[in-house]
Amino acid sequence: AVLMCRGKATQDFTGPDCRFVNFKKGEAVYVYYKLIGESTELWAGSVGSDFGYFPKDLLEINHNYSNEELELPTDETDFVCF
């Protein structure tokens, strides 16, 4: 996966299920995918060693790594809950 950008969480977030990544306000969030289709409000990335979806509105971007936007249809990126 290509690292697209890094941001800082503007507030705490707890996802509805295991496909989402949880974070606290001020934590660094690394973005790998911006989803298109039904979930345009969701990006996928990592916080620490956890990976998952999160609402892009909760992120304040402070560094862009890639000018290439990697957009994936949501049906190809759906995670499975283990």
Side-chain angles (χ1 to χ4, degrees):
V2 179
L3 182 59
M4 296 178 62
C5 57
R6 184 185 73 219
K8 191 174 71 176
T10 56
Q11 63 186 72
D12 293 357
F13 172 68
T14 302
D17 60 45
C18 79
R19 293 172 303 160
F20 290 79
V21 66
N22 302 327
F23 48 71
K24 297 263 187 266
K25 181 178 178 177
E27 280 194 298
V29 181
Y30 293 88
V31 182
Y32 290 93
Y33 303 111
K34 297 179 180 179
L35 304 184
I36 54 176
E38 292 176 22
S39 302
T40 47
E41 300 307 304
L42 292 179
W43 286 354
S46 64
V47 178
S49 59
D50 296 326
F51 186 88
Y53 295 128
F54 57 88
K56 67 181 183 186
D57 297 347
L58 302 187
L59 204 59
E60 179 186 304
I61 302 299
N62 46 30
H63 190 81
N64 279 304
Y65 293 102
S66 170
N67 295 327
E68 238 180 284
E69 294 227 339
L70 186 63
E71 294 187 328
L72 297 176
T74 39
D75 55 2
E76 287 181 22
T77 57
D78 279 341
F79 293 116
V80 176
C81 285
F82 292 108

